[in-house]
Amino acid sequence: MAHETIAVNLTEIEYRVLSILRENARASVSEIADRLGVSRATVSRAIRSLINKGIRFTVDVPENSPKAFIITSKSQTELGECYRLVDGKYLVIISARDYNELIRLIDGVDGRVEVFIALGQVTKRAVPIGLVCDYCGGPISVPIIYRRGRRTYYLCCETCLRELKKKLSRSNKNKADAP
């Protein structure tokens, strides 16, 4: 299959921005502006213009590259995939070309709580995982979190929270009444 070549006219600044991004795809707008001696607004306009011209920026990371799954206390979308968890923490997934680069990237993550490293192939499954209410079993869109002792309950509504509290207080009362 032959590849079609499309000519795109780039300005000098667009070309220089693209060259820096080719060296370091994680370079920030401020970093690029400092290196080129221009304003951040100029770099932002150049990046928008590149996108509008159909230029795609990709990072080539092998599929079997080492990955880190990091639980953090704050969102860090610039590092990789970032998901907000039910408890308010974040899951950041970072890929690297090799183990040494992965360790360097992990060291740069602020607010690390836990780190899990996968050195082999990560199997992808399309399994829908939804959060369900611990009281009624219904789906939860925005959870109500109730902690009692060492247990955490996820509930769908105030009614389920109230009913769960009643149920737990009755079971504790029954335990206390038992001989």
Side-chain angles (χ1 to χ4, degrees):
M1 180 175 151
H3 292 283
E4 185 179 332
T5 304
I6 300 172
V8 177
N9 290 330
L10 299 180
T11 65
E12 178 67 25
I13 191 73
E14 290 170 343
Y15 179 78
R16 291 169 62 198
V17 166
L18 197 55
S19 295
I20 291 172
L21 289 171
R22 202 175 292 142
E23 291 170 23
N24 178 7
R26 295 178 187 270
S28 68
V29 170
S30 297
E31 194 177 321
I32 296 169
D34 287 345
R35 284 185 58 186
L36 297 179
V38 298
S39 71
R40 292 184 318 216
T42 300
V43 173
S44 293
R45 276 193 303 275
I47 291 172
R48 267 194 311 278
S49 176
L50 288 167
I51 292 168
N52 291 336
K53 290 179 179 180
I55 304 294
R56 293 177 50 194
F57 312 25
T58 60
V59 177
D60 185 23
V61 177
E63 190 62 34
N64 63 349
S65 66
K67 293 178 178 31
F69 301 85
I70 306 168
I71 308 294
T72 68
S73 58
K74 57 185 176 177
S75 175
Q76 298 182 45
T77 56
E78 69 279 1
L79 298 175
E81 294 178 61
C82 186
Y83 302 95
R84 182 143 195 227
L85 302 175
V86 182
D87 63 0
K89 294 179 184 147
Y90 295 87
L91 170 65
V92 179
I93 303 172
I94 298 176
S95 297
R97 288 185 177 84
D98 58 38
Y99 182 73
N100 291 330
E101 181 185 24
L102 185 67
I103 296 302
R104 185 178 55 75
L105 292 171
I106 291 169
D107 286 343
V109 175
D110 292 334
R112 286 189 316 262
V113 176
E114 290 183 77
V115 176
F116 304 92
I117 297 176
L119 297 176
Q121 179 70 29
V122 177
T123 304
K124 295 178 182 175
R125 291 185 183 183
V127 178
I129 298 174
L131 192 58
V132 294
C133 179
D134 285 327
Y135 184 76
C136 72
I140 298 176
S141 55
V142 178
I144 296 172
I145 300 170
Y146 175 63
R147 290 183 177 87
R148 182 161 176 160
R150 299 176 115 185
R151 178 85 198 264
T152 301
Y153 298 92
Y154 299 96
L155 305 146
C156 63
C157 64
E158 292 293 331
T159 303
C160 287
L161 173 61
R162 185 178 58 248
E163 295 302 314
L164 177 70
K165 286 180 178 180
K166 284 181 194 176
K167 180 181 174 183
L168 293 174
S169 66
R170 280 192 307 260
S171 79
N172 281 346
K173 186 177 181 182
N174 291 341
K175 285 180 187 176
D177 291 343

